[in-house]
Amino acid sequence: MNFLFRREPRHVFMTTQDPSYIYTVLCGRCDYPIEADDEVCPRCQSRLEDCPVCREIKHTRAPWTEPCPTTGRKTCPVCDTRRYAFGIQPLSEVEGMFCTNLYGCPAGGLLLKTDEFAVLREDASTCPVCRHPELKPLNLRTFVYLISQCVFCNAVFGSPPSWRPGWANQWDVTVDQVKSTPPRDYSPCPLCGREDTLDRDAREVEMLIDKPGELTGVKEGLLTDLYARVAELGKILILENDDRSAARKMFKTWFNELNLLSHDSTITVERAGDHLLQGTRRPEVHKILRLRLDSLLKSWKEQVPGQGLNYRVSGRNGKR
């Protein structure tokens, strides 16, 4: 007879038959330990799938659900998050809330790599996935307005009506996206926590930079083509939750085999990270970003021995 034993953390199990082997994934319906790629639970016989919102946090495979034929909506039985496929139903027609925890939650800012929007219940006062006590969900209908008013969010997210399948895997950020942001009427941004503004000639982005541990608010300018690289670094951190995968994506996107460009048209990886972190002025966002960025840059140094964080990245010229 074979017995199962639960270990810490609570989602880990081992068996008496082979104590060296552990199970780290559970069935989302009956909590039975399963293999990570099991399509059917051996106990309750439920058909299973990975929910891109809660799979890594709750360590479960969710019971499979049929998408709505008219809206493309799927609702996860585990985290109760609704997912709307890109390009089927306009965001203005969807009732619900969205998580504002861009860097620390798979559902943050609606963005999923599976070409779906993550929509929370209409009465959600806290995100059920990350449960962040300060980064509260906002009404979905404010999303388009918020990103249109923020230089950084506009550069990272572009224009929601143009999102189509495959958008989440397009990692480039253009100068045109940076320059298309209208004057803002609030500060700082409730999503990214930044207060970036364009100068009068739209040649530089002016950032309020804080020193570590000090809210100094010193203004610093950065050419728009180099700023696009900073925004691209933020986009990678938002879309890629695993830091090693993010570092591989950054390496693939930024690697220049010759690396002989003029220093006036480049920015080091370390400096891009500094601009991203120091210009994020909301303390609760800054804290999450710092942890994510430290881990990402550590992985980057492992993949780019020698130059490491001194590796220089060319500015974007506005062309895809």
Side-chain angles (χ1 to χ4, degrees), residues 187-203:
S187 185
C189 175
L191 298 181
C192 68
R194 303 181 67 88
E195 300 185 59
D196 303 339
T197 56
L198 283 171
D199 68 9
R200 183 174 302 175
D201 300 321
R203 293 187 65 254

Side-chain angles (χ1 to χ4, degrees), residues 185-237:
D185 57 9
Y186 60 87
S187 185
C189 175
L191 298 181
C192 68
R194 303 181 67 88
E195 300 185 59
D196 303 339
T197 56
L198 283 171
D199 68 9
R200 183 174 302 175
D201 300 321
R203 293 187 65 254
E204 285 191 349
V205 174
E206 297 176 335
M207 298 173 285
L208 293 179
I209 296 296
D210 291 332
K211 295 181 179 180
E214 298 181 41
L215 292 176
T216 51
V218 176
K219 184 174 288 189
E220 184 171 333
L222 188 66
L223 291 173
T224 51
D225 59 343
L226 297 179
Y227 178 83
R229 286 300 196 183
V230 175
E232 196 167 51
L233 176 56
K235 183 175 183 178
I236 290 174
L237 282 166

Side-chain angles (χ1 to χ4, degrees), residues 172-300:
D172 59 327
V173 172
T174 69
V175 175
D176 289 342
Q177 287 172 292
V178 176
K179 293 182 176 180
S180 63
T181 311
R184 61 191 298 149
D185 57 9
Y186 60 87
S187 185
C189 175
L191 298 181
C192 68
R194 303 181 67 88
E195 300 185 59
D196 303 339
T197 56
L198 283 171
D199 68 9
R200 183 174 302 175
D201 300 321
R203 293 187 65 254
E204 285 191 349
V205 174
E206 297 176 335
M207 298 173 285
L208 293 179
I209 296 296
D210 291 332
K211 295 181 179 180
E214 298 181 41
L215 292 176
T216 51
V218 176
K219 184 174 288 189
E220 184 171 333
L222 188 66
L223 291 173
T224 51
D225 59 343
L226 297 179
Y227 178 83
R229 286 300 196 183
V230 175
E232 196 167 51
L233 176 56
K235 183 175 183 178
I236 290 174
L237 282 166
I238 291 167
L239 288 179
E240 196 70 66
N241 294 312
D242 177 73
D243 291 325
R244 291 194 62 83
S245 297
R248 288 194 295 269
K249 178 63 71 173
M250 189 166 69
F251 183 82
K252 182 179 179 180
T253 304
W254 288 3
F255 182 70
N256 173 12
E257 188 173 0
L258 297 178
N259 202 22
L260 297 176
L261 298 169
S262 166
H263 280 206
D264 292 338
S265 62
T266 62
I267 185 173
T268 66
V269 171
E270 182 176 32
R271 193 65 186 134
D274 287 343
H275 279 302
L276 179 62
L277 183 63
Q278 295 172 13
T280 302
R281 295 177 55 77
R282 286 189 66 186
E284 57 271 26
V285 181
H286 186 278
K287 181 179 180 180
I288 296 171
L289 175 59
R290 185 184 71 246
L291 295 175
R292 291 289 320 280
L293 190 61
D294 286 348
S295 182
L296 171 61
L297 294 183
K298 179 180 178 181
S299 296
W300 169 268

